[in-house]
Amino acid sequence: MIRRAELGDVDAVRAIGLQTWPVAYAGLVPDEFITDGLAQWWSREAVERGIRNGVTLVAADGDDLVGMTGLGRQDDFWVMWKLYVVPGHQGKGIGKALLDAAVAALPDGTPELLLDVLVTNEKAIGFYRSQGFGEPRRVPDRDLGEDLMWMSLDLHRT
Ligand SMILES: CC(C)(COP(=O)(O)OP(=O)(O)OC[C@H]1O[C@@H](n2cnc3c(N)ncnc32)[C@H](O)[C@@H]1OP(=O)(O)O)[C@@H](O)C(=O)NCCC(=O)NCCS
């Protein structure tokens, strides 16, 4: 079941990142990237800010949260900053269900959904391509550096 995250979910949402990042990014990035990223993007404050100010959706399996996505505005774009399914639940359609729910949660008329992904994260890039993401025509005014790249899903809405 996919639902909106509430403030009471902060610790369970954090736990998804803490479980998933070290496995997903091992060997793709230096260890400091993982340590720094968990401290910066998965702190209680950061997760709470995402729930309050953006759209955070979670996938529940009984009482457990097994996946999450976090979206927010950047300039006049909607960006999916996070999409994570815990290792034991990947490959069962949860990522796709979260993505579909994220698109459905966007305001009517939203023309595209952007995301950022590590250039070396071939599994995630393959997943995003399979879901229709490709090269963006335009991107937010935010420098991602060399390790990350933008992808875009055309929502075909006007
Ligand atoms: C990437 C991730 C979110 C995908 O979620 P998931 O639940 O594992 O993927 P799903 O089971 O929903 O896959 C849905 C579809 O995508 C396809 N797919 C998944 N990975 C793919 C890949 N690497 N290449 C091509 N297709 C892929 C599946 O075949 C499936 O298609 P089907 O429904 O026709 O069988 C998840 O694996 C994950 O959290 N990975 C680790 C963290 C990460 O890298 N997150 C992204 C950060 S930017």
Side-chain angles (χ1 to χ4, degrees), residues 95-111:
K96 180 175 167 40
L98 282 163
L99 173 60
D100 290 348
V103 169
L106 296 173
D108 279 349
T110 303

Side-chain angles (χ1 to χ4, degrees), residues 4-157:
R4 247 346 234 261
E6 298 159 9
L7 288 173
D9 295 318
V10 167
D11 288 331
V13 170
R14 285 190 72 211
I16 295 167
L18 297 177
Q19 284 176 71
T20 310
W21 262 51
V23 178
Y25 295 146
L28 297 186
V29 291
D31 288 348
E32 310 89 76
F33 179 97
I34 299 175
T35 317
D36 294 350
L38 288 175
Q40 187 173 358
W41 304 113
W42 294 92
S43 65
R44 294 198 96 251
E45 293 70 24
V47 170
E48 193 173 319
R49 200 165 49 240
I51 293 174
R52 281 187 196 279
N53 301 340
V55 173
T56 301
L57 304 175
V58 292
D61 179 25
D63 288 341
D64 297 330
L65 297 190
V66 296
M68 65 79 66
T69 185
L71 299 92
R73 299 278 294 168
Q74 173 80 44
D75 309 333
D76 58 341
F77 296 89
W78 275 96
V79 181
M80 189 167 68
W81 295 114
K82 294 173 174 162
L83 175 64
Y84 294 97
V85 177
V86 297
H89 285 78
Q90 291 170 9
K92 299 178 183 173
I94 296 171
K96 180 175 167 40
L98 282 163
L99 173 60
D100 290 348
V103 169
L106 296 173
D108 279 349
T110 303
E112 62 195 321
L113 175 62
L114 273 282
L115 62 79
D116 67 326
V117 60
L118 271 177
V119 295
T120 49
N121 191 352
E122 286 174 20
K123 271 161 64 178
I125 292 169
F127 166 77
Y128 291 133
R129 285 198 193 290
S130 80
Q131 302 305 310
F133 282 83
E135 190 93 353
R137 277 176 290 116
R138 43 185 214 119
V139 296
D141 183 18
R142 172 171 172 151
D143 183 12
L144 291 179
E146 289 182 358
D147 297 333
L148 293 163
M149 67 179 197
W150 294 109
M151 294 183 84
S152 169
L153 179 65
D154 186 349
L155 299 175
H156 294 298
R157 298 183 198 167

